[in-house]
Amino acid sequence: MSEIIAFVSDFELGTRIASTAATHGGDVIFPESVDNLSGSANILIIDLNRDEDEWMSMLNTLQLHFPQAIIVGYAERVLKSLHAKAKEAGCAWVFPQSSLIKNLPRLIEEEL
């Protein structure tokens, strides 16, 4: 089973992530902050629609706590500059929000 930690501000998207993950053998946790996270995770999902300093700080903290996990960033629109910054900061994948759910099953299956 893939353990997924998702930092998602959109409730509807969070519901779709949880449903998709459950269908493909994943379990999702939606913490409110990166503080006091414990356990393990195979996949980390982070909303890049946030302020850049905020998501960069979150990525740094998550990489320290979960060095083995793949990090998936998403944003409403992924411009070339955002894609480059997110990849450089540690995201293995960066998706437009509209294609995150479509790609999530493949990511879960790769991490099983």
Side-chain angles (χ1 to χ4, degrees), residues 97-111:
Q97 186 168 323
S98 61
S99 68
L100 176 63
I101 298 300
K102 180 176 78 175
N103 287 287
L104 189 56
R106 179 174 49 93
L107 296 173
I108 292 171
E109 289 168 10
E110 287 177 6
E111 292 302 310

Side-chain angles (χ1 to χ4, degrees), residues 2-54:
S2 285
E3 297 291 327
I4 302 167
I5 296 177
F7 293 93
V8 178
S9 55
D10 181 324
F11 178 77
E12 183 180 331
L13 180 62
T15 302
R16 291 174 58 208
I17 289 170
S19 176
T20 301
T23 301
H24 295 279
D27 184 34
V28 184
I29 298 169
F30 296 96
E32 292 188 22
S33 75
V34 295
D35 299 327
N36 302 319
L37 287 176
S38 62
S40 62
N42 306 75
I43 301 172
L44 305 169
I45 300 174
I46 187 166
D47 181 351
L48 301 176
N49 291 309
R50 305 167 187 262
D51 177 71
E52 184 177 323
D53 289 337
E54 184 181 356

Side-chain angles (χ1 to χ4, degrees), residues 61-83:
T61 302
L62 291 170
Q63 288 172 330
L64 291 173
H65 285 37
F66 306 98
Q68 78 290 352
I70 65 162
I71 301 174
V72 179
Y74 75 90
E76 201 168 301
R77 291 178 17 181
V78 178
L79 303 174
K80 197 175 206 177
S81 61
L82 175 62
H83 186 272

